[in-house]
Amino acid sequence: MSSRKRLAAVSALVPMLGGAGLCLGASGALADTTLTIATVNNTQMIEMQKLSPQFEQSHPGIHLKWVVLEENVLRQRVTTDIATHGGQFDILTIGNYEVPIWAKQNWLTPFENLPSSYDVDDVLKPVREGISYKGKLYALPFYAESVMTLYRKDLFQKAGLTMPDHPTYTQIREYADKITDKSAGIAGICLRGKPGWGENMAYFTTLVTANGGQWFDESWKPTINTPAWHQALTYYDDILKKDGPPGAASNGFNENLALFTSGHCGMWIDATSAAGTVFDKAQSQVSDKSGVTAVPTGSFTGGPTWLWSWNLAIPASSKQVDAAKQFITWATSKEYVQLVAKTDGWVNIPPGTRTSSYESAEYKQAAPFSPMVLEAINNANPLAQTKNPRPYTGAQFVSIPEFQAIGTNVGQTVAATLAGSMSVDQALSSAQAATARTMRQAGYPKKQ
């Protein structure tokens, strides 16, 4: 949709949302206020920025200043700002990793006394629980996700393959070998390779779990240089070098999304939030050729499963709390979902947050993947045990403050194997030593 048409569509919807009951008396109730919003450059957030003139029109006293950053940069900027009480931002886009940790530090403003029109009970329970601390919400979810396998049905048919409902990693390897066509620019599989605790390590941690591994034992000793990690990294390194796209070590979520939608990936194991873009005819060249199935399983099943949400939160340092709450309730409301649906199509609504979205007949028709996504999120269990007992929670991350640095450091060594600068053995030995050093310096083992 062109910018002119988009703005026209937004303007046409102003009356509808003006009466949504979420303005909270904003129009004329506040002196001119400028909110500085830090967000990630994902598709859904870019859409939020494009639709935000609607909010400003119905809230004439509030102006929005956007800081849109690549995922790793966003995390570094907002973490530094909130830890130092820098006060650069009024609204932060953060994950369910940060919310409880930062709430415990009194770094976030709680969301209390939300209007009945917001219908907080409509938010999926696992998502609500992930952004709560001591029974209070400290952020509101913009979109949420679990994990799935996206694949090209046409390539599978051409190769005489049938994707099962619950594939194994052994099968995925066989399929990747058969559908890779480098002469046609088609990689059999795309996986996150860009270093970062929320980039390559988000996916890779799930692969480790599937191989029976974990980050720490019950005494908080790192368990990186172990057979399970060796099996996982050998598989990952080998399949991406043989069947992955060029430059895999530089590809994060957004890069792989671009590769898949442009027809250059046969399979992609990643966040369920990608499905909306993949199945949107306006954004994807393979919208009618794609299918979805469950995340592959390895030698260990039943462990913790991926649950992530991108949320909007207010740092305690903000002096514009009332205005920030008004914007956040608007951007995470049922009415905002309707706005996106009418402006850009139901397939593009922010996924994974509201029961009402998944009950919508329009969404079910536009998003054939939606039942699988709902089931994956409702059944997500980041509290489940790994093969061997562990002292922490989290599925694709470890719920301790130190993990942000640890995960990013280990992510760099994992990426180094893809780049050919380290062997699997060297990477695991280096990561084990660095993580053990960090944990000693942080005083582990200690009471959590």
Side-chain angles (χ1 to χ4, degrees):
M1 178 179 286
S2 69
S3 298
R4 182 175 299 175
K5 288 182 179 178
R6 189 185 299 276
L7 288 172
V10 169
S11 298
L13 286 161
V14 170
M16 179 186 77
L17 286 187
L22 290 169
C23 296
L24 306 182
S27 301
L30 297 170
D32 272 10
T33 299
T34 297
L35 298 175
T36 302
I37 304 170
T39 197
V40 66
N41 64 338
N42 289 352
T43 302
Q44 293 87 349
M45 280 71 174
I46 293 171
E47 181 72 7
M48 174 172 58
Q49 183 186 10
K50 289 177 179 176
L51 295 177
S52 63
Q54 189 281 330
F55 174 83
E56 292 177 297
Q57 284 178 305
S58 60
H59 297 70
I62 303 176
H63 311 287
L64 306 176
K65 178 183 177 183
W66 293 86
V67 180
V68 183
L69 302 166
E70 185 271 333
E71 188 168 326
N72 287 337
V73 177
L74 172 79
R75 289 185 165 121
Q76 184 178 24
R77 286 277 300 274
V78 300
T79 301
T80 300
D81 186 67
I82 202 162
T84 60
H85 307 288
Q88 292 183 57
F89 307 112
D90 299 295
I91 296 174
L92 308 174
T93 304
I94 58 177
N96 52 314
Y97 162 77
E98 290 96 346
V99 173
I101 293 174
W102 292 4
K104 185 178 181 180
Q105 298 293 328
N106 297 314
W107 289 351
L108 299 175
T109 299
F111 284 82
E112 299 178 284
N113 303 314
L114 289 166
S116 59
S117 58
Y118 186 79
D119 194 5
V120 70
D121 290 336
D122 186 50
V123 177
L124 297 174
K125 185 178 178 182
V127 178
R128 289 202 313 269
E129 291 177 341
I131 53 177
S132 297
Y133 177 70
K134 291 188 174 180
K136 291 183 180 180
L137 283 168
Y138 279 85
L140 296 181
F142 186 66
Y143 77 80
E145 63 192 29
S146 187
V147 62
M148 63 168 41
T149 303
L150 294 127
Y151 68 99
R152 288 274 300 280
K153 294 188 294 184
D154 58 326
L155 297 181
F156 269 65
Q157 185 177 10
K158 182 181 177 181
L161 302 171
T162 301
M163 176 67 86
D165 291 338
H166 296 280
T168 67
Y169 270 110
T170 299
Q171 289 174 315
I172 291 294
R173 179 57 201 264
E174 294 171 357
Y175 302 155
D177 286 346
K178 290 180 179 178
I179 62 177
T180 294
D181 187 349
K182 294 185 178 180
S183 64
I186 297 174
I189 193 164
C190 291
L191 299 169
R192 298 189 192 190
K194 180 186 289 185
W197 70 267
E199 279 283 9
N200 62 345
M201 295 314 295
Y203 167 73
F204 188 74
T205 297
T206 68
L207 182 60
V208 168
T209 301
N211 279 274
Q214 63 204 77
W215 277 88
F216 303 99
D217 66 17
E218 288 187 290
S219 301
W220 289 102
K221 179 181 177 181
T223 55
I224 297 171
N225 198 7
T226 56
W229 276 72
H230 192 279
Q231 290 165 12
L233 187 51
T234 299
Y235 179 98
Y236 174 84
D237 181 63
D238 189 53
I239 196 171
L240 279 177
K241 283 180 176 175
K242 185 174 181 182
D243 297 318
S250 301
N251 294 337
F253 173 83
N254 281 326
E255 291 80 6
N256 283 323
L257 178 61
L259 285 169
F260 194 94
T261 55
S262 61
H264 294 292
C265 295
M267 293 182 292
W268 179 29
I269 306 165
D270 213 303
T272 56
S273 58
T277 304
V278 169
F279 282 80
D280 180 18
K281 294 178 182 178
Q283 300 183 76
S284 173
Q285 297 175 25
V286 295
S287 62
D288 59 343
K289 301 182 180 76
S290 297
V292 298
T293 194
V295 64
T297 56
S299 59
F300 173 70
T301 59
T305 48
W306 182 312
L307 178 64
W308 180 258
S309 58
W310 277 116
N311 312 279
L312 301 177
I314 305 171
S317 58
S318 174
K319 295 178 172 59
Q320 319 288 351
V321 172
D322 288 343
K325 283 185 176 179
Q326 290 172 49
F327 176 78
I328 292 173
T329 53
W330 172 82
T332 61
S333 68
K334 291 180 181 179
E335 288 73 24
Y336 179 82
V337 170
Q338 293 285 335
L339 175 61
V340 175
K342 291 183 180 296
T343 305
D344 247 17
W346 272 101
V347 74
N348 287 304
I349 66 168
T353 57
R354 288 188 170 271
T355 301
S356 55
S357 295
Y358 289 89
E359 291 176 343
S360 164
E362 294 95 334
Y363 190 46
K364 290 177 182 178
Q365 182 177 358
F369 52 84
S370 62
M372 176 175 285
V373 174
L374 180 62
E375 181 181 4
I377 292 175
N378 277 332
N379 293 330
N381 188 6
L383 305 181
Q385 277 298 328
T386 44
K387 182 179 180 181
N388 295 312
R390 60 177 185 159
Y392 60 90
T393 60
Q396 77 278 22
F397 57 80
V398 178
S399 299
I400 58 173
E402 294 79 11
F403 183 70
Q404 189 161 352
I406 289 170
T408 295
N409 178 70
V410 176
Q412 290 168 346
T413 62
V414 167
T417 66
L418 297 181
S421 57
M422 295 183 82
S423 68
V424 168
D425 288 339
Q426 289 172 331
L428 295 178
S429 177
S430 173
Q432 173 79 17
T435 303
R437 183 168 58 250
T438 299
M439 296 298 280
R440 284 196 303 271
Q441 293 171 347
Y444 284 83
K446 59 185 178 182
K447 293 182 180 180
Q448 294 300 297

